[in-house]
Amino acid sequence: MDEFAGPIERPVPRVRESPEFRRTHYRVYDEDGYATSFSIEPPLKATLEHVTAFLCERFQGTGGTGFDSKDLVVLLGPRIVAVVRGDSHGEPQVTTF
């Protein structure tokens, strides 16, 4: 996990997702649409474990510091690979596919 540098921050107003981008990035969406992405290629080399750990760490952050406890979906290519949602206590729970 030492090589993991972090995600691409939320762009304004939207990101264009080429087929190449979809193939080479974990893409994260919340109820408002695109939230962030993580490259699987160097130098980032993100793994699903990196992505879900990052999302869980910042799940409850508000005011631009996190994801405001919103449900999140993670895609790679055309597939949903993980979902992060709050449990009954507001703690993030990860389901991978």
Side-chain angles (χ1 to χ4, degrees):
M1 213 150 133
D2 295 341
E3 296 180 35
F4 184 67
I8 298 170
E9 295 303 318
R10 185 185 295 252
V12 178
R14 56 186 285 188
V15 67
R16 292 185 186 185
E17 294 184 6
S18 68
E20 176 72 10
F21 183 82
R22 290 178 182 185
R23 185 182 64 75
T24 61
H25 287 76
Y26 287 104
R27 300 166 340 269
V28 181
Y29 297 86
D30 63 18
E31 64 191 48
D32 299 321
Y34 177 87
T36 191
S37 62
F38 303 78
S39 176
I40 63 172
E41 296 183 332
L44 194 57
K45 296 188 212 175
T47 65
L48 187 56
E49 181 180 282
H50 290 133
V51 172
T52 56
F54 181 90
L55 298 176
C56 287
E57 288 172 12
R58 289 160 182 80
F59 187 71
Q60 295 175 341
T62 58
T65 63
F67 297 100
D68 299 323
S69 299
K70 294 178 182 175
D71 292 349
L72 304 166
V73 62
V74 182
L75 292 93
L76 182 61
R79 301 202 180 267
I80 295 172
V81 294
V83 174
V84 181
R85 19 185 339 228
D87 65 10
S88 61
H89 303 291
E91 295 299 316
Q93 299 296 311
V94 177
T95 304
T96 57
F97 303 98

